[in-house]
Amino acid sequence: MRFAHLSDIHLGFQKHEALQKIEQQVFEKIFDQCIARKVDFILIPGDLFHVNIPEMRVQKFAFAKFRQIYDAEIPVYVVYGSHDFSPVSNSVIDLLAEVGYITKVTKATSSDDGKIKLDFLVDKKTGVKIAGLSGLKVGKDREYYEKLDSSSLEAELGFKIFLFHGGISEMKTESGMEGEHMPLSLLPRYFDYYAGGHMHKFNAQKFDDHPNVVYPGTPFAGYHSDLEDNAKGQKRGFVIVEFEDKIKSIEFIEIENTRIADSVNKELQDKIRDVDPTQQVIIIKVQGEMTKGKTADVDISAIRDELNLKGALVVNINKNQLTSKEYSITEAKGANKEEIEINVFSENIGQLRFEQKNLVGEPGVQLAKKLLAGFVQQKLENEKNADYNARIKKNAFGILGLDTDAS
Ligand SMILES: [Mn+2]
């Protein structure tokens, strides 16, 4: 049996259209994987939405996706996060629960002595017992947990999962974006799995009385700093847990979110929004090293157009100091086509690290030249595509000195 655990999706956070698209694509990919991997149920401990009532575009998207999960007969168990929380059940979470696409986990009653008693709900198919508490606005959480009647929760037998939304001191990271943290001891003990939300980076730890405390982190972004972390290569995704009567494995599934170039473009756009370029000479220098993507994808013309449109006198943008870890081709000049080609090869071959001597240096340039000549051969009249492809391929392998019999 297996379940998926995701959190802090923050649907509706992005204002920029290109980023809204990524926000949705990432969520779609996760749900697609949940269906493909046949998970028995999905846990979402909070901040599914960025606000309790997001704009209609976001709601429409979410309802369509949850409908798919519902049709695939995968139950979804949810608690509020600090962002989509509503003290009076005025959240799109409550709409989704009302139509039956998701189930709100928190079943709390207060007893006469001021204690808060939580009831379990039981997942029909697996028999797993689930309890949880919603995230509240800052500072209120701790009060709630202090009043929690833990003993009845701890005494319950069977495979148990606890959903919560909040920072735990013992799992604190350097990011400092999560606000207050509470000690782990406030969470009831002896659950098999603690499905956490609120912390935006994947974090899974084991403790004596709390065997598996897991935060999948945001799959894309819920703070602006998340986008910066993404640009620095922070892995994003969700978690899939295999279990029988005990946990068998906890796997972090990475979901590719953004091309680095997109976040550079976004950063540039944000920066120029703050300046009034009217009648000004604007000089922008972009520098640094991109961990992924190509420098060519950083779209300077869009920035230039926007500044010109706003009445800038002269716009001068320079990205010569921007480099990428990924291979990118530097332009080269020459008097004719052949010279340009050779210069491009000579300029760029230094980026390659191969042990084979014939692939680097001057021999490499000569080899590249021959290969290019091989590739630009036209298709013969009446030649079938398959025959043409085979001929070009065979020729290329021949130039590389590779045995083609196997192919
Ligand atoms: Mn969050």
Side-chain angles (χ1 to χ4, degrees), residues 23-247:
E23 183 182 272
Q24 295 192 343
Q25 279 168 350
V26 163
F27 188 63
E28 273 174 341
K29 279 187 201 162
I30 293 176
F31 267 20
D32 289 349
Q33 287 222 28
C34 286
I35 293 172
R37 287 171 183 249
K38 297 193 170 67
V39 301
D40 293 292
F41 55 86
I42 298 172
L43 307 173
I44 308 180
D47 287 357
L48 169 57
F49 298 95
H50 192 58
V51 289
N52 58 328
I53 306 177
E55 60 178 302
M56 196 48 86
R57 169 189 69 82
V58 177
Q59 298 201 31
K60 239 173 119 175
F61 166 77
F63 270 81
K65 292 322 287 179
F66 277 101
R67 172 65 198 254
Q68 274 177 23
I69 285 290
Y70 176 80
D71 286 344
E73 294 175 36
I74 303 173
V76 183
Y77 301 106
V78 173
V79 296
Y80 284 145
S82 41
H83 280 263
D84 45 20
F85 161 81
S86 160
V88 288
S89 298
N90 250 339
S91 171
V92 64
I93 298 281
D94 296 284
L95 284 183
L96 286 164
E98 197 65 39
V99 293
Y101 290 173
I102 65 172
T103 304
K104 275 171 80 181
V105 170
T106 310
K107 293 188 325 176
T109 43
S110 6
S111 49
D112 299 337
D113 57 357
K115 281 261 172 202
I116 293 167
K117 198 178 170 302
L118 277 185
D119 284 330
F120 283 95
L121 62 82
V122 181
D123 177 65
K124 274 203 198 92
K125 204 166 133 213
T126 61
V128 168
K129 294 173 180 173
I130 303 171
L133 265 185
S134 286
L136 302 165
K137 291 291 174 204
V138 190
K140 284 277 175 208
D141 299 75
R142 195 177 174 129
E143 210 181 300
Y144 232 79
Y145 278 96
E146 275 163 357
K147 287 184 192 158
L148 192 63
D149 173 17
S150 290
S151 51
S152 66
L153 293 169
E154 290 170 353
E156 186 82 23
L157 300 174
F159 189 95
K160 296 184 291 183
I161 296 175
F162 191 80
L163 267 72
F164 70 102
H165 186 94
I168 297 292
S169 320
E170 284 87 342
M171 295 180 78
K172 208 168 173 167
T173 57
E174 76 295 342
S175 90
M177 290 299 294
E178 297 95 2
E180 287 172 45
H181 290 70
M182 60 177 198
L184 185 65
S185 57
L186 282 178
L187 293 184
R189 295 171 296 173
Y190 316 136
F191 278 71
D192 294 275
Y193 188 86
Y194 294 82
H198 191 57
M199 281 158 124
H200 280 197
K201 286 182 184 170
F202 170 65
N203 191 349
Q205 288 185 42
K206 291 177 185 297
F207 301 93
D208 286 346
D209 296 333
H210 303 83
N212 294 291
V213 190
V214 179
Y215 292 100
T218 179
F220 181 43
Y223 307 122
H224 291 285
S225 62
D226 292 333
L227 289 175
E228 284 166 35
D229 289 337
N230 293 350
K232 287 175 194 152
Q234 174 70 39
K235 287 197 185 342
R236 302 292 190 189
F238 71 112
V239 167
I240 285 191
V241 179
E242 303 261 356
F243 68 100
E244 291 299 332
D245 51 341
K246 287 275 157 242
I247 301 266

